[in-house]
Amino acid sequence: MLCRTRTVLALLCALLSTGCAQLDTSAARITGSVTYRERVALPPSAVVKVRLVDVSRADAPATVIGEQVIKAAGRQVPFAFEIAYDPKRIEERFTYAVQARIEDEDGRLRFISDRHYPVLTRGAGRHVDLVLIAAAAPAPK
């Protein structure tokens, strides 16, 4: 009887640990920060948009895999981000990157990422720190 109880308990523990592993989504997240070098404050209503994108196809727009939108609410850089994504959408043979932009309350671009920040495949990790550049000011009317 004791042997049967131990066997049942061992099977139950194995099933529970397997179920927990399948429910664990912490591995399906990209983390990092967004900042810029300019010494200028963001307006309180600024919005930071960070996206995980598939950039595999050179002849097509990037496909958004995940996104986080952060309202500045008076805070200043750096902004930490965490993008959740579905790991089933990731193909080892494809290339993925993180892109970011900061817009004002009217949707005007203030800062943008101007370089490639690879993640997930081809030896890239799951954490990336982005440094944005200032967007060109619109021409006066």
Side-chain angles (χ1 to χ4, degrees), residues 6-111:
R6 285 184 182 167
T7 304
V8 169
L9 284 175
L11 287 171
L12 184 59
C13 287
L15 287 172
L16 287 174
S17 65
T18 302
C20 290
Q22 290 174 348
L23 295 175
D24 181 14
T25 59
S26 63
R29 298 190 184 284
I30 300 295
T31 61
S33 66
V34 173
T35 192
Y36 54 82
R37 287 192 165 82
E38 287 76 6
R39 298 184 73 161
V40 59
L42 290 173
S45 58
V47 177
V48 181
K49 296 180 180 180
V50 189
R51 292 179 170 173
L52 168 61
V53 294
D54 177 350
V55 293
S56 302
R57 298 182 300 167
D59 60 341
T63 303
V64 177
I65 304 294
E67 179 179 36
Q68 183 179 10
V69 176
I70 305 164
K71 294 182 179 180
R75 295 176 295 152
Q76 300 298 318
V77 294
F79 290 96
F81 68 85
E82 184 175 282
I83 303 172
Y85 66 92
D86 181 356
K88 294 175 190 160
R89 294 186 66 188
I90 304 304
E91 298 275 345
E92 277 301 315
R93 60 192 173 93
F94 290 176
T95 304
Y96 302 90
V98 175
Q99 300 172 345
R101 58 190 295 130
I102 301 175
E103 299 173 351
D104 65 17
E105 64 187 1
D106 297 323
R108 287 184 299 235
L109 184 63
R110 301 284 304 261
F111 294 91

